[in-house]
Amino acid sequence: AASDVYKRQLPFFFIPASVSIINYADVLRENLLALVVVCAVSLIATFAATVGAVRLTCRLLERGKRR
């Protein structure tokens, strides 16, 4: 199956990222608080945008049913 091809190649996608993380571990450690704050803020923003999109979609669907 096509998924088997991707499954066999999967390590090639993760190895470079893992090596980079190891190479820059000291930089990541120095900026850990900033990284955590950025991740938390972006997570909250993504949740808020998703909630807004779902609410808007529900309103538009309800409006379409009334017509």
Side-chain angles (χ1 to χ4, degrees):
S3 63
D4 291 333
V5 173
Y6 290 114
K7 199 172 13 174
R8 282 191 304 242
Q9 304 301 325
L10 205 54
F12 293 115
F13 297 116
F14 288 103
I15 290 172
S18 301
V19 170
S20 293
I21 288 172
I22 291 169
N23 285 337
Y24 290 101
D26 55 335
V27 175
L28 293 172
R29 221 176 277 119
E30 290 173 5
N31 298 302
L32 185 61
L33 180 62
L35 289 169
V36 169
V37 169
V38 166
C39 287
V41 169
S42 65
L43 177 73
I44 292 167
T46 301
F47 282 169
T50 302
V51 167
V54 168
R55 285 183 176 175
L56 178 63
T57 302
C58 288
R59 272 192 232 134
L60 292 174
L61 287 173
E62 285 297 320
R63 191 180 300 169
K65 287 180 183 177
R66 291 182 201 153
R67 292 182 181 184

